[in-house]
Amino acid sequence: MTYVEHRQSAEDGTRTDTAKLPLRTVTCDRLILAAGTYGTTWLLLKNRDRLPGLSRALGTRMSGNGDLLTFLLPEHKGAGPALDASRGPVITGAIRVDDRADGRGARGRGYYVQDGGYPGFTDWLVQSTDLTGTFFRTAEFLARLLLNVLRGSTDNRVGAELSRLLGNGALSAGTLPLLGMGRDVPDGVGKLRDGLLDVAWTTETSTAYFGRVRETMRDLAEQLDTRLLDNPLWFFRRIVTVHPLGGAPISRHPADGVCDAFGQVHGLPGLYVADGAAMPGPVGANPSLTIAALADRMSTALLEERVAARARD
């Protein structure tokens, strides 16, 4: 393994030209890759020529864990429930729809629908999208201010005027992101293009899945007396995912995947994958705990192997 040392000058604050730094070789008995789904897949693809025997399945079975982002908005301005997405943690509740793999008569691929929170400052961004209301409130504010100046009035009531200008916050208080995630079809493929990772994936093979998720979201919007707003990217049949998975998938055989059930890369003893790249498909729920369990299992196996080796010696 080779790496480039990166230093920052303390004298003038400028960065060192890394292209001029020497390459240094570091050797190790075991190397664990945990650079994230995209980072680990990119590192393996980048070093494929240096890793003889690496599976041809590298870069396959990529997915977005079925992520789908939509929004609940008040049905009528100034009306609707106070959802207050900026209060509390990101996720406070979830709806789970059964998967056919559950064996309870369900059909199709299962999924979750969760509420999504956001930081308090985002309330201002949401409220500012009400352009019509903001325009009229601003015009009214300026008209009242000008009228008071012309009258020479000292009773400005600035606090009340500013409150009226900012509005009642009904839009931001009644807006709530919805997060869908589940078992989309993991048929994405990652390859290198001009030295960068390029992932080719389509929503077409997961159309039925996304349709069911959106149907549940629409039902939820109706029950809460709100309307469902799709993420603008959805109109281009694109999605936003914060849970990319796959690229170096687990498999029983090197022809089908990159590493075994303990994260060790087939044919390359001592090289391990310990992040979402090892997932052979979507896990359905938020995948962080599944990835953590994989890493914990791998770490336990490594420690047990080391203890057994010492015992033999």
Side-chain angles (χ1 to χ4, degrees):
M1 178 184 70
T2 60
Y3 76 99
V4 178
E5 182 182 3
H6 184 88
R7 292 195 301 266
Q8 185 170 356
S9 173
E11 290 78 14
D12 57 7
T14 59
R15 292 185 178 276
T16 302
D17 184 0
T18 57
K20 297 180 180 178
L21 291 175
L23 289 176
R24 298 189 179 185
T25 301
V26 177
T27 62
C28 57
D29 295 327
R30 296 178 181 85
L31 176 62
I32 300 174
L33 298 179
T37 294
Y38 292 148
T40 292
T41 302
W42 178 82
L43 285 170
L44 289 173
L45 287 169
K46 189 75 172 179
N47 292 278
R48 179 172 241 162
D49 294 340
R50 301 184 183 92
L51 298 171
L54 194 58
S55 173
R56 294 174 62 88
L58 176 62
T60 64
R61 300 195 65 80
M62 302 193 77
S63 80
N65 199 50
D67 282 10
L68 182 65
L69 173 65
T70 62
F71 303 90
L72 295 183
L73 298 178
E75 185 66 42
H76 305 287
K77 293 181 180 178
L83 300 175
D84 202 359
S86 64
R87 183 176 181 180
V90 175
I91 298 171
T92 60
I95 297 172
R96 184 182 187 275
V97 177
D98 288 347
D99 190 290
R100 63 187 176 212
D102 294 332
R104 294 194 288 265
R107 297 182 179 180
R109 293 172 173 263
Y111 54 90
Y112 293 80
V113 175
Q114 303 172 342
D115 63 314
Y118 49 68
F121 73 85
T122 310
D123 279 338
W124 295 91
L125 301 179
V126 173
Q127 193 64 40
S128 66
T129 61
D130 181 17
L131 299 179
T132 303
T134 301
F135 173 79
F136 283 108
R137 287 196 305 271
T138 302
E140 181 183 11
F141 173 80
L142 294 176
R144 288 177 182 273
L145 182 62
L146 178 60
L147 186 59
N148 283 334
V149 171
L150 294 175
R151 287 177 176 176
S153 174
T154 58
D155 185 15
N156 293 323
R157 300 184 183 182
V158 176
E161 296 296 339
L162 286 176
S163 177
R164 186 180 291 109
L165 171 63
L166 294 175
N168 60 12
L171 179 60
S172 60
T175 300
L176 181 71
L178 288 183
L179 311 174
M181 60 191 72
R183 286 208 312 126
D184 57 352
V185 179
D187 53 3
V189 178
K191 297 181 180 180
L192 289 183
R193 177 180 293 183
D194 298 328
L196 301 176
L197 179 65
D198 179 68
V199 179
W201 188 82
T202 176
T203 59
E204 291 183 4
T205 52
S206 299
T207 298
Y209 160 80
F210 284 116
R212 296 180 67 218
V213 176
R214 291 180 71 248
E215 182 178 352
T216 298
M217 290 177 169
R218 281 195 299 269
D219 291 342
L220 185 59
E222 182 178 347
Q223 291 299 318
L224 292 176
D225 192 26
T226 58
R227 59 189 174 92
L228 184 69
L229 177 66
D230 283 307
N231 184 320
L233 291 177
W234 177 254
F235 297 107
F236 301 97
R237 290 298 179 263
R238 294 181 178 275
I239 60 169
V240 176
T241 179
V242 294
H243 303 126
L245 299 173
I250 290 174
S251 68
R252 293 187 177 89
H253 192 275
D256 303 319
V258 174
C259 53
D260 63 20
F262 290 91
Q264 183 167 225
V265 176
H266 294 302
L268 293 167
L271 180 59
Y272 295 82
V273 175
D275 55 29
M279 298 294 103
V283 302
N286 310 63
S288 58
L289 291 180
T290 303
I291 296 170
L294 168 70
D296 181 74
R297 185 168 184 259
M298 179 200 70
S299 301
T300 300
L302 286 173
L303 292 173
E304 291 176 345
E305 178 185 322
R306 186 172 183 180
V307 170
R310 287 182 175 179
R312 290 194 297 269
D313 295 341

